[in-house]
Amino acid sequence: MILRPVRDSASDARTVREIAKAAFDALEEQLGRTGPVPEPTPAAVAASEARTRHLAATDPGGCWIAEEAGEAVGTALALRREGLWGLSLFCVRPDAQGKGVGRMLLDHAAAYGRGCLRGMIVASPDPRAARRYHAAGFQLHPTMQFTGTVDLLALPEPGGIPVHLGDASHQQLLDSVDRRVRGGGHGPDHAQLLRIGDELLVVDTLAGSGYCYRREGRIVLLAATSKRLAARLLTEALGRVPVGTEATVANVTGEQEWAVDVCLAGGLSAANRGYLALRGLRPPTPYLPSGAYL
Ligand SMILES: CC(C)(COP(=O)(O)OP(=O)(O)OC[C@H]1O[C@@H](n2cnc3c(N)ncnc32)[C@H](O)[C@@H]1OP(=O)(O)O)[C@@H](O)C(=O)NCCC(=O)NCCS
C-alpha cells in the first residue's frame, strides 16, 4: 500500500467522494439502518467535491489517499487554521477496513498537525473511528443530532435582536468570533462556504456578534459570543429552512443547552450520534461545528 497526496483535481474529488459514500453507507448498514441510504442531493455532491479541492489546495500536506494495487481505498483530509488542527474527512472502503489502512492515513494526517496545540474532529458513531481518535490523544464528547420538520409557530420569538444576511465583507467579523469561541479563525474556509452557496446569517450588536451557515435543511456551522445570540441565529436559520425540507442540527454536545432548547421548541427529534473529539481544548460554546470545516 502507498499513500499519495490528494490533488486539486476533478478526478481526485470524485474518488474521495466515492470512497466516502461507500464507507458511510456501509456504516449506516452496520448501525442497523434498514432500507437504502437516500442518494445525496446535487448540492451535497457539489459541496463534497468542492471541499476536497479546497483542502487539497489550502492544506496539501494534510490530504492523503491510500492506494492498493493502483486502486484508491481510503482517504484522510486534515486542515490547520491558526494553531488548530482539524480532521475534515477520514474513511476507508468497506472491503479494505480493519487492516490498518485507517491507522496509516490518520498517522500522516496527524503529523501535519505537529505544533498545533488544539485539535478537533467531528466523529461518526463508528467504534473503529472512536478507537483511532482516542489512541491519538483525543477526548470523546458524545453529541446529539436533531432532525424533523420545523414547527414555525412554536419557534422562540426573535426578541428584538436583528439578524441579517452576510457575505465576504464580513470575513474579519467571522474570524474574530471564531477566535473568541474556538481559539482560531476559519480563514479561507469562510470564502469557501460562501462559494458553495451556503446562506450566511450574521448578528452584530453592541452586546456581541455571531454567525450561522445553512445549506438546504442543514445547519452547517454556527458560532457566537453569547448563548442568547446563538439561540437567535439558530432560530432564524431554522425558520428559513424551505417548507417540506427536513431540518438537521448536528454535532450538539451537552454544553450547547441553548441549541437543545431551540431544537426541541421547534419540534425536532433528538438522537445520540457520534462524538466531538477534542485535544487541547474543552467543547467550545456557543458553537455548532461543521464536520467538513470544523
Ligand atoms: C474509521 C475508519 C476510517 C478506520 O479505518 P480502518 O482501516 O478500518 O482502521 P484500522 O484498521 O486502522 O483500525 C481500526 C481499529 O478499530 C478496531 N476495531 C475493529 N472493529 C471494531 C469494532 N467493531 N469495535 C471497536 N473497535 C474495532 C481494530 O482492532 C483497530 O484497532 P487497533 O489498531 O487498536 O487494533 C473506517 O473503518 C471507516 O471508513 N469507517 C466508516 C466511515 C467513518 O465513520 N469514518 C470516520 C469519520 S469521523
Side-chain angles (χ1 to χ4, degrees):
M1 189 188 25
I2 60 149
L3 292 195
R4 68 157 175 91
V6 179
R7 288 181 287 265
D8 173 10
S9 69
S11 105
D12 268 8
R14 193 176 51 249
T15 298
V16 165
R17 182 171 57 76
E18 284 169 359
I19 296 169
K21 178 158 177 26
F24 286 107
D25 283 4
L27 176 63
E28 289 298 322
E29 217 172 280
Q30 285 156 24
L31 294 175
R33 182 184 183 103
T34 50
V37 180
E39 281 304 307
T41 63
V45 168
S48 155
E49 297 196 355
R51 178 253 304 262
T52 299
R53 297 196 64 168
H54 171 67
L55 294 180
T58 57
D59 299 80
C63 299
W64 298 93
I65 283 179
E67 286 184 347
E68 215 156 42
E71 256 198 72
V73 294
T75 185
L77 308 179
L79 53 84
R80 268 191 326 222
R81 300 286 179 267
E82 300 181 10
L84 176 84
W85 175 92
L87 189 62
S88 172
L89 185 69
F90 176 45
C91 46
V92 171
R93 244 174 40 191
D95 55 330
Q97 288 174 3
K99 301 173 191 164
V101 178
R103 179 194 284 258
M104 237 170 105
L105 280 164
L106 191 59
D107 284 350
H108 270 64
Y112 178 63
R114 213 168 279 140
C116 290
L117 295 181
R118 285 162 285 123
M120 189 184 291
I121 308 169
V122 169
S124 75
D126 190 331
R128 292 163 296 198
R131 189 171 175 82
R132 284 272 69 87
Y133 301 151
H134 183 263
F138 283 79
Q139 286 179 330
L140 302 173
H141 301 269
T143 47
M144 295 167 262
Q145 174 166 298
F146 296 84
T147 51
T149 304
V150 180
D151 181 348
L152 290 173
L153 295 176
L155 280 174
E157 286 294 317
I161 304 169
V163 176
H164 59 269
L165 288 173
D167 57 31
S169 70
H170 292 98
Q171 170 96 35
Q172 284 196 359
L173 174 73
L174 308 180
D175 276 333
S176 300
V177 174
D178 289 334
R179 289 186 190 110
R180 166 82 80 85
V181 176
R182 60 168 214 168
H186 279 85
D189 306 328
H190 283 301
Q192 170 67 4
L193 286 162
L194 288 170
R195 256 195 308 274
I196 293 169
D198 289 0
E199 180 183 76
L200 171 63
L201 296 174
V202 171
V203 166
D204 192 19
T205 68
L206 290 176
S209 311
Y211 70 85
C212 175
Y213 290 96
R214 176 182 66 83
R215 182 181 314 141
E216 300 175 324
R218 176 169 285 272
I219 305 306
V220 174
L221 166 65
L222 188 153
T225 57
S226 79
K227 293 175 187 172
R228 190 160 159 262
L229 297 183
R232 172 74 183 98
L233 280 161
L234 183 55
T235 303
E236 181 71 24
L238 287 176
R240 297 171 75 95
V241 170
V243 175
T245 301
E246 182 175 83
T248 302
V249 182
N251 316 327
V252 182
T253 58
E255 285 75 10
Q256 320 298 336
E257 195 54 37
W258 58 273
V260 177
D261 290 346
V262 173
C263 291
L264 293 183
L268 304 186
S269 302
N272 296 125
R273 188 160 175 100
Y275 309 87
L276 181 61
L278 297 173
R279 189 166 63 184
L281 79 164
R282 299 285 312 151
T285 185
Y287 191 58
L288 300 177
S290 143
Y293 300 99
L294 315 165

